Amino acid sequence: MSSFYTKLCPMFLCLLVLLPSLVVGECTCDSEESGERNKPEALKYKLVALASILVFGGIGVCIPMLGKFVTWLNPENNLFYMIKVFAAGVILSTGCVHILPDAFENLTSPCLNEIWGKFPWTGFVMMVAVILVLIIESFLPGYITKSSPNKNGDEENSEHQVHTHATHGHAHGSVAAAADANQLLRDRVLAQVLELGIVVHSVIIGISLGASQSPDTIKPLVIALTFHQFFEGMGLAGCISQGKFKARNMVIMALFFALTTPIGIAIGIGISDSYDENSPKALAVEGILNATSAGILIYMALVDLLAPGFRELKVQSSGRLQLGSIVSVLFGAGSMSLLAVWA
């Protein structure tokens, strides 16, 4: 699994390198940026946003991962479950309220040529992203297990254990252990695919903020995006801690998330003189990436986070936990939706 994550990092780095070149282009529509342009003052707010998002995004992604050291944040604790449900609501709202509308706006813009208006590209790209995530989640754990160097020995040992202990009534132990290992693998795939969906969107909003030249546009975004990254970090960290990664991999994944938006802001500052958010290239690339990210986040929030959690036996058998789950998901989705007023 660590090798899979190692392969994921170069892909993301390629995205960081290629995205600016794809979205820089000649202006074909008038800029719709509101507020007076003031580059020096805008730069001050950008630097504040960069530092604020880095700090609070880092804090958000670290909180749920402290379960090893803080008792009430242990994954087996009911409070941690409530935090996870809250975070799932945040992720669901991020996909539905923040990213998907942006994708529709990008891909239905009059600045694009006619082919984009003759087909519902946003829904199509989102559907493809959902199907791809389903395929990855269904088949990647099995592929990783089969391609493991120790698979032959493990299979032989497993078969030997089941055969040897079956007469003593202990075969179920090996089967349960195998099921737990498979679930852990699925949790790790979930965490990494979820992070991919989040960081793609984070880079886009970072570039958009960094390229803006209007202080009036940037000011409300500083606070809104700070909370945005804080809540998203909590949601991602809940999945990372559930995957029980090694400490080194957890740190890498946390840094990976915390640095993406600041890096996007830095890229946006660097290309601010040539970046045009209304150029056909920028609209098409951002729209496709936003639709993909929305599909990933909405699917994972509903299918991988909320549905399994609500079906857990401890939740089904406790009216208090059921009520807490509903309140938590509504509070998480509502809080993140409220931020859409500003960002």
Side-chain angles (χ1 to χ4, degrees), residues 78 309-323:
N78 287 343
F310 279 32
R311 293 194 195 107
E312 284 186 19
L313 181 60
K314 70 174 183 179
V315 177
Q316 293 290 328
S317 59
S318 171
R320 189 175 179 181
L321 267 182
Q322 289 177 348
L323 179 61

Side-chain angles (χ1 to χ4, degrees), residues 88 91-92 94-95 99 193-198 201 232 292-302 305:
I91 293 171
L92 180 62
T94 300
I99 307 179
V193 175
L194 177 61
E195 177 157 26
L196 179 62
I198 289 175
H201 173 60
E232 270 193 351
T292 302
S293 181
I296 292 173
L297 297 188
I298 293 171
Y299 172 89
M300 303 197 93
L302 292 173
L305 299 176

Side-chain angles (χ1 to χ4, degrees), residues 150-266:
N150 299 322
K151 66 173 184 176
N152 293 330
D154 290 343
E155 288 174 356
E156 289 174 5
N157 290 339
S158 178
E159 289 174 3
H160 177 70
Q161 281 183 327
V162 173
H163 178 73
T164 303
H165 295 287
T167 55
H168 301 286
H170 297 299
H172 62 277
S174 298
V175 175
D180 289 343
N182 187 59
Q183 182 59 45
L184 180 62
L185 196 57
R186 291 178 63 85
D187 289 340
R188 291 181 174 180
V189 171
L190 185 157
Q192 293 173 359
V193 175
L194 177 61
E195 177 157 26
L196 179 62
I198 289 175
V199 299
V200 166
H201 173 60
S202 296
V203 173
I204 293 173
I205 61 175
I207 291 177
S208 298
L209 188 151
S212 175
Q213 303 286 15
S214 170
D216 292 337
T217 300
I218 298 173
K219 283 179 186 178
L221 289 177
V222 175
I223 297 176
L225 291 180
T226 296
F227 283 102
H228 184 283
Q229 292 301 104
F230 177 78
F231 289 141
E232 270 193 351
M234 288 182 64
L236 175 62
C239 293
I240 294 175
S241 59
Q242 193 170 318
K244 298 178 182 178
F245 291 91
K246 294 180 180 178
R248 175 174 167 272
N249 289 339
M250 291 176 72
V251 170
I252 291 174
M253 293 179 76
L255 287 174
F256 199 49
F257 166 79
L259 291 173
T260 46
T261 302
I263 289 174
I265 294 173

Side-chain angles (χ1 to χ4, degrees), residues 128-140 186 299 303:
V128 171
V130 169
I131 293 173
L132 287 176
V133 173
L134 176 63
I135 292 172
I136 290 171
E137 283 197 337
S138 300
F139 300 112
L140 186 59
R186 291 178 63 85
Y299 172 89
V303 177

